[in-house]
Structure formats: structure tokens, C-alpha cells
Amino acid sequence: MFFVDFLGWIMKLCYDIVGNYGTAIILFTLVSKIILLPISIWVQKNSIKMVKMQPEINRIKTKYFGDKDTIAEEESKIYKKYRYNPLASLVPLVAQIILLLGVVEIVKNPTLYIGVENLDYNFLGFDLRWIASENGGIAIWIPIIAGLSALALCIGQNIMNVLQAEQSKWNKYGMLVLSVGLSIYLGTFVTAGVALYWTASNLMAILQQWLLNIAINPKKSVDYKALEQSRKELKELQDISKTHKRTKEQIRKEKADYKKFFSIANKKLVFYSESNGFYKYYKGIIEYILENTNLTIHYITSDYNDQIFKLAKTEKHIKPYYIEEKKLITLMMKMDADVVVMTMPDINNYHIKRSYIRKNTEYIYLPHGIDSPNLTMRKGSMNNYDSVFVTGKHQREECEKTNKIYNLQNRKIVNWGYSLLDDMISGYKKSKKKPSKEKTIMIAPSWQKDNIIDLCLSKILDSLKGENYKVIVRPHPQQVRHMKDAFEKMKEKYSGTNIEIQTDFSKTNSVFNADLLITDWSSIGYEYAFTTEKPVISIDTPMKIMNPEYKKIKVEPFNIWARKQIGEVVKVKDVNNINSVVKKMLKDPKKYQKKISALKKDSVYNLGNSAEVGAEYIINCVQTKVKERKKK
């Protein structure tokens, strides 16, 4: 065979130069590395190219998460753009295998190729004809040395090789175990001469990689900051499905509902709910639509136990679907509906996208709070909606300024109101509360860093302990879950006093039964005040800012200035004296009632009939879309 004869000629040349068989094998290894250097340079450049385009690939995987066909198509475009062939990585592997087979043949018959009859096979105390599995003794070191050289190479590649360094830990350590295991296994059954070649080749590969990184530096071509950011964004999506375990029944239902959703053509109206608790924001609007039209409402929820499934049993015009967030990504990309109503911000900014199927679908954003979206939501969180419902003039002013700054000329702003508030006011008026001399104070903090519980709850409770009113602490369920032991100790500390720590959320004590509410930056403060027209104490904990550019639109957030209108603001350092503030406010509740009533009327649109206003707008949108479709 010509190739083997050529390698044999090189081996003879090396032996003639050094006069020692073992040293000749090492020199032969060096010569083979030099011969294969063009391939090594090509592999280095190809690896850099692969890592360089990885941020784009990660963003494609993020953008079309769950849509394998589209991802494959877009990846192919990126490969063409960079002139990259995924199969190219096999070239050096094939070259190494062919070279190794040639070496095995030569070392098996060294006298045939080197031309020396009495060849000295001794090298550093080893006979290069030894086979560990046959000779035993000191020969057992042959596969161990080969395995150690493979270990050194893997560690070096994981650190220095631009492509290998970016692999996952599983790939890195998996390759390490495979390489070391294979080297030990093969080293047990081949001659010591072949093992010497393999060991020398591994060690020289480490030196070669170091020199290649100097000559062709990956850091000059790869944007590692973009790579890390894109990897982080993709990982967030990949972790979505790992947040909780699902039963086989849930998985089965999701598959069936996904199929059922796309089996219906020309869907006119779709609502999406993140969980069971979000139906309350849609309730009034949905009830109005059902009572006044024949529209079928397709209601997607990511909550297996959503109340919508029970409601759908008695209401034929509601079609519910259970779709978890990971599957929701694909569903939303393939959405085929005239109008989609959502309370989820950031559509098209992250993994949940507008439809790729219907470019003219009307997306309507419905807020689930009275406060400032510009402060409490991320930058541009509503920019990709066609219509945005607003609760009052403060939200309208923010949206108008946002439209102007970000040139959102076609985004419509709808003076809606807040249907949930209407429901709460109605329910509060119907409820009968027995008069009591003992006043009730409810403490309802937000769940954010540095809230009341984190900073000053004990000081507040110590100030209120022993007074002639009942104090109920109702923390956020998530905080209870994370601080269970701390709340149990708190219960023991205040046992037998006028203070109750509520961690059992099955209790029916309503926040709205309280005579005074203490909170921080939670939106419950405005809902409580506007429902009951009773005052609120706002503890001035650090403000939660989701949008660092909120000052750009030059509108003071409702959250900041309205706190002073619905009650009093107490600084954290002054909570030791909060009892005096409580007494003053409970003594003259009518003073606050007038201010709260005036603020409510001035700040909330369409009080009492916001559901009708919102529903009529949605109905008109559907009718407009249907007419447009018929014209086509």
C-alpha cells in the first residue's frame, strides 16, 4: 500500500537520523504533526468560526424555541453565511484514524520498513514489542501511560481549544472519560511502540494547540460577551419545563388540547391566562361577551387546575385548552386567530412571539394592576401589542409618551378602567361586616427584595403589640414557602397577643375586612383603598424598579405620588413609632375617605362599567377582522 510505504520511508528516515527505535517513533510523530499542520490550522479556523456564529445560533434557538423545523432552516442559513460545513469536523478524525492504522502496520513489522535486522527495541526500560495483556509485569504501565497522556490532552483541549472550551460540562467530561478509557483499553492490546506513538501524539497536540492559539487567537474573532448572553437566554427557556413535575394525565391532556386547538379553523377570539388566578382580570369582559354575542371564546391556560375548565362545562361558547409555557411557545408562533387578548407583557421581546402564520392578528394587552406599567414592567414590555387597555389617565399619559418616544404610531390606547376593581367594589358593598369596637389592621407586604418582612416587620409588630386592635400579618405565599421556619418562630413569639401571623391561606379573612392596611410597594394598597375607601400606610422600603429607563418618558409614576393620596408614608427608620400614625389615621378615617374617593374618580376610567367598555372594543375588533378576511 502506497500510503503505508510512504509512512515506512519516513520512519526509516527518522531512525537513520537518531539511531534509536523509540526516539525514531517520537521523531516520526513530530514529522506527522508537521505534515498534518495545514489540517490543524484549518481545524483551528473552523472551530473559531463555529464559536463565532454560536451567538446567532443561540438566538435562533431562542427566537424559534420549540420549532425544530424552523430552527434547522435558520441554522442552515447561518452556516451558508459563514461558509461552514458541519461535516468538516470529521476530516481531522478520519486523518488521525488512517495515520494510526498506518503506524500500527509499520510498528508491527519494523524491520521490514526500517531495514535493520537486529533492531534494539529497548526504550526507557520498556521493550517496544511488549503487549500489556500478554506480558504483564512492568508492561502494565503501557496502557496507564497512554491513558494519562489522553487525560492531559483532554484537560488541555478543554482549556485551550476554542470549541471544546465552550462545550457543556457533560460533553467535556464525557469526552474525557471516553478518551481515557479508550486509550487504556487499546493500550492493553497493542504493542508498546504503538502506545508510545499515541502518547507522544497526545502530548505534542497540547503544545500544538498552545502555539495555534498564539498564531490564530480566538479572542480576536469571538464576541464572548454576546456568546455568554445568548447562552444565558437560551438556558432560561430550556429550564422552563424543569420548574415542576407533571403527571402523565397532564402531559396527555396538553397533547390532546394542543391538537384540538389547531383542529379548529378561523378562530375569532383567543384569551391566554398564565394561571388560574388570572381569570379574575377577564371575568367581567368574558361574561359580557357571552351574554351579548354568539362568539366562541378560545381560552388557553397554563394551569391544569384552572377554573375555566369547570366554567366550560356549563358554557358551550367557552373552549378551554391546557398548554404549559414550553408548548405555548410553539402554539403562539402558529397562532391562527383574529384577536388575541393577554395580560402577559413582553410579547415578541422574549420567547413568547406574535404569530408567524397571521401577520394581521390583533393583539390586545389588558393590565392586571392600577399602578405604573412604565415603572413596574420591563422597558418596551407593551410595545409589540396593537392595542393597550389602560386603567386611568396616568397609564394613558405613560403610553402616549412611550408611543412618541419609541415611534409606535399604530399602537392604539383604549380608555378601559379596571374590571377587577369594579367586581371588588361590588362585592364589598354586598358583604356585611359586623360592627366591632376592635379595629383590624392588616399587614400585606409585597414579595420583592427588601420588603417589610425583610427590613422591619418585627419593629412594626413590637410597636403594635398589646394595643386595642387586632393585627393580622398576611405575607405573600412565596415568602412563606421560602421562610417557613422563620414564620413558625414568629408565631411562637407573638402567641397569646393581639397579633396573628397567617400562613394558612385557606383562611377566608379578606384584606378588605381590615380597617387599615399596611403595605410597601404592593399594588394591593390601591386596590384596597379604592375598594373600601379606607386608608393605607405605605412603608418606604426600597422601590422595585423593573425599567431602569422609566424617567425617560418624564411622567412621575402613579406608584410614587399616589401613596400620599391614599394614606401616609412611613420611612423604615421611623417604624418604631408607627403606632402613633395608626392611632391618628383610625381616629379620623373620613379625612382619608374623601381624598381616596376623589383620587379614584380622577384616576380610574369607566368605574362600574369597564367590563362593558373593554368587551365592546374587543367585539368591534373581531368584527373588523372578520370583514377584512371576507374581503380577501
Side-chain angles (χ1 to χ4, degrees), residues 253 273-284 286-287 290 299-315 318-322 420 423:
K253 180 168 176 56
S273 172
E274 296 168 59
S275 68
N276 183 39
F278 282 78
Y279 177 74
K280 62 187 178 186
Y281 302 113
Y282 298 134
K283 181 176 178 290
I286 287 177
E287 288 177 352
L290 293 174
Y299 194 101
I300 304 167
T301 176
S302 293
D303 191 336
Y304 180 74
N305 298 309
D306 200 303
Q307 60 188 300
I308 199 68
F309 295 109
K310 186 177 180 180
L311 179 62
K313 291 179 180 178
T314 57
E315 179 49 68
I318 290 183
K319 304 294 181 187
Y321 310 88
Y322 163 62
L420 177 60
D423 291 341

Side-chain angles (χ1 to χ4, degrees), residues 160-179:
M160 294 187 292
N161 184 280
V162 61
L163 185 57
Q164 189 65 25
E166 299 305 325
Q167 299 297 311
S168 65
K169 287 183 178 180
W170 173 258
N171 285 339
K172 287 180 181 179
Y173 295 126
M175 184 59 69
L176 185 148
V177 171
L178 179 63
S179 297

Side-chain angles (χ1 to χ4, degrees), residues 436-461:
S436 174
K437 290 183 180 179
E438 185 184 55
K439 301 294 184 182
T440 299
I441 300 169
M442 180 73 76
I443 302 177
S446 61
W447 187 55
Q448 65 183 58
K449 185 181 178 183
D450 296 330
N451 61 18
I452 289 174
I453 292 173
D454 293 337
L455 296 181
C456 56
L457 180 60
S458 295
K459 291 180 180 179
I460 293 173
L461 296 181

